[in-house]
């Protein structure tokens, strides 16, 4: 089978071919490595590529499957991990040269679970340094480039994960999301990005940014692949006390395509702030499609939305600086300047301000919880704009120049505050040819409904079949 067919196949499609021995894991890995070699000079998605290790893993998978020892749908499937997921024997840089030579002795829980499922680590993905930024720029390992237009950002902080999945370099990638870092690159790169409920997926062995806001999550090209990935990585982990002891469903059971009877609330405040008219139109059209598929669409209000940014800023800044205070003091001059500046800002958050933000967070969560008693999902845009130009510090929205960081995180931070499951699903392309994402969020530990609606929308469109012009 030609490599051009293999590297853009979903994990769902590849798993059927591998299980039926129509395709070898070696062929799949070789196709992805060839794609990486061809596109990496443009995209810069990876910090570390592992061709020899990946080929050896593919050969082992092929032998296991030929002996009848098939481990499941991810057996023989290449996976890329954001470079803050610790991997045994493979450096984990967290996106900064300060940790260029850090080689963990063991795997993080997510990496270990992928390995148990038979997946093959193909490399470690580029990221905003220390995961502290929404743009996907990196002065140490090079900026990440959007496959749809390499002059534009991928979004961050999981920018390499977004570009790698979108460009066919790897069918499954993993990111982490503290203020939108899975969903922002997913929206800007035209892929599916799922932030699971806080406590659904283990953070053990991940470089922290904010202990109470960090969420690991899959970044893939289809909703099916998000479900398959969740089946492998979700669940209680004694290594992470924040993981919840709740039943883990078979997420693929959500892929029914039937959303009749679902109540979807459209948060009116999301469309009352600065948003590009084309992005708003595509998002509203996508929500209308959900209505045509049988969901009941209602307008809802979230008055506290205006406080999402200051609540998140105070908590995130304080916890990020606490997590990285030692490196800030010892090697601050080696940090990417914008990251260093944000860490230094955290030094000025007082204990009183942090605690008041946590109190405000509880009020905010209560209001969102009340909304989710009335509706099954909340819908809106992921981003107010399409991908800006790399290193653009201010972005024009309707003739108004706005700072990039708060603009790019204005919708996503809401669901880090609440810990709710939230997904970005491709919902069209703007006039500039760049992708736009639909944002769906649900009740805590109800990823099933989020996936169910995203899958139904995906099946009614062909956005996931579009390919960037690389």
């Amino acid at each position: 089978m030609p490599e051009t067919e293999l590297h853009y196949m979903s994990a769902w499609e590849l798993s059927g071919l591998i299980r039926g021995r129509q395709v070898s894991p070696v062929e799949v890995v070789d196709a992805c490595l060839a794609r990486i070699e061809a596109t990496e000079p443009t995209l810069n998605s990876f910090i570390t590529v592992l061709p020899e290790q990946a080929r050896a893993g593919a050969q082992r998978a092929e032998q296991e499957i030929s002996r009848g020892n098939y481990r499941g749908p991810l057996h023989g499937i290449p996976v890329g991990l954001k470079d803050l997921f610790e991997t045994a024997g493979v450096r984990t840089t967290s996106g900064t040269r300060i940790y260029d030579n850090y080689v963990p002795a063991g795997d993080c829980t997510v990496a270990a679970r992928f390995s148990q499922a038979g997946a093959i680590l193909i490399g470690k993905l580029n990221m905003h340094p220390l995961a502290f930024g929404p743009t996907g720029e990196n002065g140490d390992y090079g900026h990440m480039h959007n496959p749809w237009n390499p002059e534009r950002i991928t979004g961050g902080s999981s920018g390499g994960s977004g570009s790698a999945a979108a460009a066919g370099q790897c069918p499954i990638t993993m990111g982490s999301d503290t203020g939108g870092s899975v969903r922002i690159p997913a929206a800007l790169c035209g892929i599916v990005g799922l932030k699971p409920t806080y406590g659904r997926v283990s953070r053990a062995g991940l470089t922290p940014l904010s202990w109470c806001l960090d969420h690991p999550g899959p970044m893939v090209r289809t909703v099916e692949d998000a479900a398959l990935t969740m089946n492998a990585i979700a669940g209680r982990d004694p290594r992470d006390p924040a993981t919840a002891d709740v039943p883990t469903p078979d997420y693929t059971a959500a892929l029914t395509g039937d959303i009749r009877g679902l109540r979807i609330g459209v948060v009116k405040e999301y469309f009352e702030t600065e948003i590009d008219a084309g992005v708003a139109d595509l998002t509203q059209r996508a929500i209308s499609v959900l209505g045509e598929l049988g969901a009941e669409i209602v307008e809802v209000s979230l008055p506290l939305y205006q406080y999402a940014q200051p609540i998140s800023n105070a908590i995130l800044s304080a916890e990020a600086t606490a997590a990285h205070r030692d490196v800030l003091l010892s090697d601050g001059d080696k940090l990417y300047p914008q990251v260093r500046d944000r860490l230094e800002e955290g030094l000025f958050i007082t204990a009183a301000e942090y605690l008041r933000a946590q109190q405000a967070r509880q009020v905010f969560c209560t209001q969102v919880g009340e909304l989710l008693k009335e509706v099954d999902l909340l819908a809106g845009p992921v981003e107010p704009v399409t991908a800006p130009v790399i290193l653009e510090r201010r972005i024009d929205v309707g003739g108004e120049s706005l700072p990039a960081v708060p603009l790019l995180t204005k919708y996503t931070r809401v669901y880090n505050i609440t810990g709710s499951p939230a997904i970005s699903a491709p919902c069209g392309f703007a006039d500039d040819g760049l992708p736009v994402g639909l944002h769906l969020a649900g009740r805590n530990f109800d990823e099933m409904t989020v996936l169910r609606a995203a899958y139904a929308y995906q099946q009614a469109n062909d956005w996931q079949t579009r390919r960037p012009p690389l």
Side-chain angles (χ1 to χ4, degrees):
M1 186 172 290
E3 288 179 350
T4 51
E5 291 182 55
L6 284 179
H7 72 254
Y8 262 130
M9 282 187 174
S10 67
W12 183 277
E13 294 168 318
L14 289 168
S15 67
L17 294 173
I18 289 171
R19 184 175 190 179
R21 303 186 195 179
Q22 296 165 271
V23 168
S24 159
V26 174
E27 293 177 274
V28 176
V29 164
D30 282 343
C32 289
L33 288 171
R35 181 65 171 168
I36 291 168
E37 184 177 4
T39 56
E40 194 58 3
T42 299
L43 298 179
N44 199 34
S45 304
F46 286 82
I47 289 176
T48 302
V49 183
L50 302 166
E52 295 176 3
Q53 177 175 317
R55 287 191 176 103
Q59 289 167 357
R60 283 194 303 272
E62 182 178 54
Q63 292 166 2
E64 288 173 350
I65 294 166
S66 68
R67 292 195 296 263
N69 184 22
Y70 181 68
R71 301 194 200 181
L74 297 190
H75 202 171
I77 302 294
V79 169
L81 299 177
K82 182 178 182 177
D83 205 22
L84 54 67
F85 288 72
E86 291 195 342
T87 41
V90 177
R91 67 173 179 167
T92 300
T93 70
S94 301
T96 171
R97 292 280 185 194
I98 294 169
Y99 298 118
D100 199 42
N101 297 314
Y102 172 55
V103 180
D107 281 335
C108 66
T109 296
V110 167
R113 288 182 175 175
F114 273 125
S115 181
Q116 290 160 9
I120 298 163
L121 180 64
I122 202 166
K124 305 294 292 295
L125 293 155
N126 203 352
M127 55 180 284
H128 208 102
L130 299 180
F132 207 0
T135 57
E137 56 191 81
N138 188 309
D140 286 355
Y141 298 105
H143 305 315
M144 289 141 269
H145 298 263
N146 195 307
W148 297 94
N149 181 342
E151 295 181 359
R152 303 300 183 103
I153 67 170
T154 56
S157 61
S158 314
S161 304
S163 58
Q169 293 181 325
C170 188
I172 294 176
T173 68
M174 284 293 296
S176 61
D177 191 313
T178 308
S181 292
V182 161
R183 293 160 290 151
I184 294 168
L188 298 184
C189 293
I191 62 169
V192 172
L194 174 66
K195 181 189 78 66
T197 307
Y198 182 82
R200 179 65 95 175
V201 178
S202 174
R203 303 159 306 157
L206 274 66
T207 304
L209 185 62
S210 168
W211 295 284
C212 73
L213 299 174
D214 290 347
H215 302 62
M219 301 175 67
V220 290
R221 289 192 293 276
T222 68
V223 178
E224 302 97 291
D225 284 4
L228 284 179
T229 302
M230 286 296 292
N231 278 354
I233 65 173
R236 178 83 177 101
D237 176 21
R239 295 175 61 195
D240 180 0
T243 51
D245 189 10
V246 296
T248 302
D250 173 6
Y251 292 99
T252 63
L255 309 178
T256 64
D258 182 5
I259 58 170
R260 289 172 293 179
L262 277 188
R263 283 175 56 84
I264 298 178
V266 181
V267 182
K268 71 183 186 69
E269 285 83 2
Y270 293 170
F271 294 96
E272 293 173 348
T273 60
E274 301 87 354
I275 183 171
D276 177 81
V279 171
D281 180 59
L282 286 169
T283 306
Q284 289 164 337
R285 283 192 210 175
I287 294 168
S288 296
V289 169
L290 293 172
E292 293 165 8
L293 293 172
E296 181 185 356
I297 309 297
V298 297
E299 184 178 82
V300 297
S301 177
L302 180 59
L304 290 179
Y305 166 67
Q306 62 179 309
Y307 298 108
Q309 290 272 15
I311 291 170
S312 175
N313 278 337
I315 296 170
L316 173 55
S317 293
E319 293 196 356
T321 302
H324 299 295
R325 187 174 184 274
D326 290 347
V327 76
L328 177 63
L329 295 175
S330 65
D331 293 287
D333 59 323
K334 299 174 187 173
L335 282 168
Y336 189 58
Q338 283 72 23
V339 171
R340 184 185 67 235
D341 290 347
R342 296 188 73 184
L343 289 174
E344 289 175 345
E345 288 171 9
L347 293 170
F348 297 94
I349 302 291
T350 66
E353 289 167 336
Y354 175 80
L355 291 172
R356 290 182 68 184
Q358 289 286 13
Q359 290 173 321
R361 178 188 192 179
Q362 292 305 311
V363 179
F364 190 95
C365 289
T366 298
Q367 189 168 100
V368 172
E370 289 299 314
L371 280 183
L372 286 168
K373 291 178 182 176
E374 301 172 14
V375 297
D376 299 296
L377 295 169
L378 297 174
V382 181
E383 286 298 314
V385 292
T386 56
V389 173
I390 293 172
L391 298 182
E392 192 171 27
R393 299 298 175 207
R394 300 188 70 86
I395 300 168
D396 183 85
V397 186
E400 185 174 358
S401 176
L402 299 168
V405 171
L407 184 70
L408 292 172
T409 57
K410 63 189 289 185
Y411 299 127
T412 53
R413 286 179 187 245
V414 171
Y415 303 117
N416 293 91
I417 294 172
T418 63
S420 312
I423 200 168
S424 174
C427 69
F429 292 81
D431 291 342
D432 56 10
L434 295 171
V436 173
L438 169 67
H439 210 180
L440 297 170
R443 303 181 185 104
N444 283 0
F445 299 102
D446 189 16
E447 289 87 1
M448 294 290 280
T449 300
V450 174
L451 290 167
R452 178 181 160 199
Y455 179 74
Y457 177 75
Q458 175 188 279
Q459 296 308 99
N461 296 278
D462 67 349
W463 307 125
Q464 77 279 5
T465 68
R466 306 286 181 94
R467 302 291 176 245
L470 282 175

